[in-house]
Amino acid sequence: MLALNVRGMILNVSSAVGFIALFGLAIQNGVIMISHINGLREGGRSLYEAVTRGATHRFRPVLMTATTSILGLLPASLAIGIGSDVQRSLATVIVYGLMFSTIITLFILPAFYYIVEAHMGKKNSVNE
């Protein structure tokens, strides 16, 4: 929404479709990260090691997924020609939203996973 506002665009049907696509890509990247961390934990790794290795191992795939989408839609986001009004808002939402969501997926999500799992581990050990 901030990118739309900064670029002087409004929320319309095209940008709403962009939000749907953005949510799908962001969730896909998050699932890629969390499923790998869970796989490492099932393999016997400690919580800290699984989170750090999982985030390191999935850094490139998540970054490449986002980068290809951003680079592919950047020209549509910057287009000013005839008929570009429809595609510009959709591309703007996806490009700038993916930039933000990729940072969250790569850095905040593993930290949040670690905090929640460490808290749940302490809670379970107290209850036993």
Side-chain angles (χ1 to χ4, degrees), residues 26-119:
I27 289 170
Q28 174 190 356
N29 286 339
V31 167
I32 288 170
M33 179 75 70
I34 296 300
S35 66
H36 186 62
I37 293 171
N38 284 339
L40 290 172
R41 291 199 64 202
E42 288 172 4
R45 308 261 184 191
S46 69
L47 175 61
Y48 178 78
E49 186 178 4
V51 169
T52 54
R53 283 185 186 237
T56 304
H57 290 166
R58 291 299 172 245
F59 185 84
R60 186 181 304 160
V62 169
L63 192 61
M64 291 307 295
T65 301
T67 302
T68 55
S69 298
I70 290 168
L71 291 178
L73 287 169
L74 192 59
S77 174
L78 301 174
I80 55 171
I82 296 172
S84 65
D85 294 339
V86 173
Q87 68 184 8
R88 189 176 15 191
S89 60
L90 178 136
T92 298
V93 167
I94 295 174
V95 166
Y96 295 99
L98 265 179
M99 287 179 190
F100 183 70
S101 72
T102 301
I103 292 169
I104 290 174
T105 301
L106 292 175
F107 300 107
I108 309 251
L109 184 64
F112 186 69
Y113 181 93
Y114 180 82
I115 291 168
V116 169
E117 287 294 316
H119 177 71

